[in-house]
Amino acid sequence: IIYIGIDVDDANFHGCALEPSTGEALDFKCRPTVKGLIRQVNKVQKAFPGHQVTLCYEATYIGNTLKCDLHAHNIACDVVAPSSIPQVRGKKIKTDRIDAAQLARFYANGLLTTVSIPDEEQEMDRDLLRSRNKIQDIQSDLRRHIHGLLRRNNRHFKLETDHKAHWTGPHYRWL
């Protein structure tokens, strides 16, 4: 098995393919697209004929989409929990290439914890909850803005009406 660690970012995907029995490593960099990554994986498979390839990348803003896209192309891939990546003491130099190499080495040695991928229904539920939370945040920001605007204009609902709570029916009518 060839273990590939991918450091994912907006500019490039940096990868390192590791053959654990010989320690041979092959570094690569590609555009941050599935097509570019598949092209590099194919090059790795040509460099190590007869080997099975498996990839991993750290869970990031990309989420599970990269894994799903790779699985659609019959490429084994795992998403790794960032908290499971061992910290190398004394190493102050941090580059994408070094991160990819460390990820491949840790992956080959079974030192990483993979993240379970939610099924389609779970993902839809998560999207719904994220949207609901975002709308609640927007609503709270808007309420704070309106309340501040009223205070700057010396308008005070509780003092003017003897009601004790904002954002109720009487408060909306007063607004």
Side-chain angles (χ1 to χ4, degrees), residues 33-153:
T33 62
V34 174
K35 186 177 178 180
L37 185 55
I38 290 171
R39 203 173 302 129
Q40 292 300 322
V41 169
N42 290 336
K43 288 180 183 178
V44 168
Q45 287 176 324
K46 286 179 186 171
F48 298 100
H51 286 78
Q52 180 184 349
V53 173
T54 184
L55 289 92
C56 75
Y57 66 94
E58 183 178 347
T60 63
Y61 64 92
I62 286 181
N64 309 317
T65 56
L66 182 59
K67 178 180 177 164
C68 293
D69 290 342
L70 291 171
H71 275 266
H73 289 88
N74 296 319
I75 299 172
C77 181
D78 286 314
V79 181
V80 176
S83 60
S84 76
I85 301 172
Q87 300 298 315
V88 179
R89 291 181 174 252
K91 297 265 182 165
K92 300 292 182 196
I93 299 172
K94 182 171 172 20
T95 66
D96 294 337
R97 186 183 63 75
I98 292 171
D99 288 348
Q102 285 180 341
L103 203 56
R105 195 170 57 253
F106 295 147
Y107 189 42
N109 291 312
L111 299 174
L112 302 174
T113 303
T114 58
V115 176
S116 68
I117 305 301
D119 62 25
E120 190 174 331
E121 185 176 345
Q122 289 171 327
E123 194 63 36
M124 287 174 22
D125 290 344
R126 285 181 176 184
D127 286 341
L128 182 63
L129 287 173
R130 286 184 196 113
S131 296
R132 181 180 186 276
N133 288 339
K134 181 66 176 172
I135 289 170
Q136 286 177 323
D137 291 344
I138 291 169
Q139 182 184 36
S140 295
D141 288 344
L142 187 56
R143 284 179 172 177
R144 279 190 294 275
H145 175 76
I146 291 170
H147 190 68
L149 178 67
L150 291 169
R151 288 174 53 194
R152 278 192 306 277
N153 288 290

Side-chain angles (χ1 to χ4, degrees), residues 145-163:
H145 175 76
I146 291 170
H147 190 68
L149 178 67
L150 291 169
R151 288 174 53 194
R152 278 192 306 277
N153 288 290
N154 205 24
R155 300 296 311 266
H156 300 279
F157 170 71
K158 291 179 182 179
L159 293 175
E160 293 177 24
T161 64
D162 290 332
H163 288 290

Side-chain angles (χ1 to χ4, degrees), residues 16-29:
C16 179
L18 177 67
E19 206 291 329
S21 63
T22 64
E24 185 179 354
L26 178 65
D27 293 325
F28 63 86
K29 178 170 81 169

